[in-house]
Amino acid sequence: MMKLSIIGAGNVGATTAFIAAMRGNELGIDEVVLLDVVEKIPQGKALDISQSLPVFDLNVKIIGTTNYEDTSDSDIVVITAGLPRKPGMSRDDLIEKNLGIVKTVVENVIKYSENPWLIVVTNPLDAMAFAAKKISNSDKVIGMAGTLDSARFRCFIAQELGEEVLNVNAMTIGCHGDDMVPLISMAEVNGKPLEKFMSERKIKEIVERTQKGGAEIVELLGTSAYYAPAASVIEIIEAIDTEKIVPVSAEYSGVFIGVPAKLTDDSVQIQDNILGKMSKEEKELFSKSIEHMKELIKATEQILEKNTMKAKT
Ligand code: TXD
């Protein structure tokens, strides 16, 4: 049985806890801990979620807390603590504030759990996953974005074609931002290439909508998405210790970036064979995405260093 801790009981954190509770028995999760810095909110949300379980005869222990000790011996820790975007903001605009938060969170988490999977959700996603890896020095750090971006890509393709989403297979890799790379060459509908079903112009429109999928929701809600992000975290949890390949942000080419991977044997196993199958254009876009990340990682390292210096003086 597994213990799942979720840090940050806001929109994404609480929704992830709710889905984990609903699917806990099926996924082998017997305990969910929801932690936040704000008093009462995690306790209140945990109690509310607990009260939904009898409705479906489900048995999962749900704890709301502000104390890291309650996360002791977690198998998986999901980090959603941090500020979300407001309309007009880019994900990269959040870096300074969220880096401070993620640093405190990771330092606390690793005090109480030995070698858990760390799934980072906080934006800017790839930079925060990099920071979590640097702070924890663990081989089990990944960022969640690719499963969400892929779900958006599949959703738009299915809606456009009036197809059941089950029959649409598509993946998005690269950084979690406008430079992400929806893999058109590998997208399939009923096992056949997407290009057989849609004009080049329509595919381009869908790719752009996917790349700006987060901003579309921010414009509508005034804050970032949370149902699909939470579901996409659960997709990663479900893939751990199975043969399923999921796009996750992981260490690659000196940066953290979305790549297809298996999460088995206590490590992230990047699927180079899939990367090798990209078209020429996709390879170029992926390289551009890596270049973008190099700059962001440099900025992240500088902020981390500045904070360490400040802490020492
Ligand atoms: O694809 C993706 N990776 C993303 C990422 C999809 C959606 C949201 N994405 C990012 O996740 C978003 O840009 C934010 O950086 C995080 C969390 O988004 P959410 O929408 O859940 O934000 P909320 O509702 O404001 O919740 C954040 C919670 C809030 O309850 C704070 O009190 C808490 O984080 N918080 C903390 N908890 C613990 N410890 C510390 N230090 C802390 N600071 C804030």
Side-chain angles (χ1 to χ4, degrees):
M1 286 312 246
M2 268 190 307
K3 174 167 174 175
L4 167 69
S5 289
I6 300 166
I7 316 299
N11 284 338
V12 180
T15 312
T16 304
F18 183 63
I19 305 177
M22 291 293 115
R23 299 202 48 213
N25 291 157
E26 184 193 336
L27 297 177
I29 299 169
D30 59 346
E31 188 174 346
V32 178
V33 177
L34 188 58
L35 182 146
D36 205 283
V37 271
V38 181
E39 276 294 346
K40 291 190 179 175
I41 298 294
Q43 290 88 345
K45 290 191 180 179
L47 186 60
D48 191 9
I49 293 171
S50 299
Q51 291 165 359
S52 67
L53 297 176
V55 179
F56 302 113
D57 290 330
L58 296 169
N59 249 323
V60 184
K61 189 169 166 192
I62 316 283
I63 294 169
T65 185
T66 51
N67 183 352
Y68 276 92
E69 221 175 318
D70 291 321
T71 68
S72 295
D73 303 322
S74 294
D75 300 288
I76 302 174
V77 180
V78 177
I79 301 176
T80 75
L83 305 180
R85 283 198 281 173
K86 294 260 174 328
M89 279 174 102
S90 85
R91 295 177 176 96
D92 295 0
D93 292 337
L94 299 165
I95 193 163
E96 194 132 10
K97 287 234 163 65
N98 283 352
L99 197 49
I101 295 174
V102 167
K103 185 168 185 281
T104 317
V105 168
V106 174
E107 284 168 351
N108 277 298
V109 163
I110 58 177
K111 264 190 226 164
Y112 295 98
S113 297
E114 205 185 307
N115 204 22
W117 278 98
L118 289 180
I119 305 177
V120 180
V121 179
T122 310
N123 271 326
L125 188 272
D126 305 282
M128 294 302 125
F130 164 81
K133 159 87 189 180
K134 198 157 178 167
I135 296 157
S136 65
N137 200 22
S138 153
D139 289 333
K140 291 162 69 178
V141 178
I142 46 177
M144 186 292 290
T147 46
L148 169 63
D149 298 328
S150 303
R152 286 180 173 149
F153 191 28
R154 287 177 61 208
C155 171
F156 296 146
I157 293 170
Q159 282 180 350
E160 177 61 32
L161 295 176
E163 234 339 304
E164 277 186 39
V165 86
L166 188 73
N167 301 328
V168 178
N169 197 358
M171 190 187 278
T172 296
I173 60 166
C175 65
H176 186 47
D178 296 352
D179 290 335
M180 73 179 72
V181 190
L183 295 174
I184 303 163
S185 68
M186 293 175 221
E188 289 177 348
V189 181
N190 284 313
K192 298 201 182 78
L194 172 66
E195 282 145 324
K196 280 198 187 303
F197 299 87
M198 246 186 235
S199 67
E200 215 174 293
R201 190 182 53 84
K202 197 78 231 169
I203 293 177
K204 196 161 169 261
E205 262 175 48
I206 287 183
V207 162
E208 276 172 22
R209 192 170 176 202
T210 304
Q211 288 164 330
K212 296 187 167 62
E216 185 178 355
I217 304 263
V218 173
E219 275 310 308
L220 291 166
L221 294 182
T223 189
S224 50
Y226 45 101
Y227 295 114
S232 306
V233 170
I234 301 290
E235 185 182 0
I236 293 181
I237 293 175
E238 212 172 353
I240 291 175
D241 290 333
T242 72
E243 288 298 300
K244 187 171 174 185
I245 297 168
V246 276
V248 289
S249 182
E251 199 168 20
Y252 183 85
S253 261
V255 295
F256 256 71
I257 195 146
V259 282
K262 278 188 197 170
L263 311 170
T264 49
D265 297 328
D266 279 347
S267 65
V268 181
Q269 300 179 358
I270 297 173
Q271 304 294 300
D272 285 313
N273 58 330
I274 297 183
L275 293 174
K277 280 191 217 149
M278 284 191 285
S279 69
K280 192 166 157 274
E281 291 81 23
E282 287 162 354
K283 281 186 180 149
E284 277 167 19
L285 272 178
F286 188 55
S287 301
K288 206 172 134 210
S289 210
I290 291 176
E291 288 312 309
H292 174 150
M293 277 321 298
K294 281 188 180 154
E295 281 169 39
L296 202 60
I297 295 287
K298 213 190 279 167
T300 311
E301 277 181 317
Q302 280 165 358
I303 300 168
L304 276 176
E305 233 161 75
K306 203 171 77 191
N307 290 354
T308 318
M309 305 275 277
K310 248 197 242 160
K312 279 188 184 153
T313 51

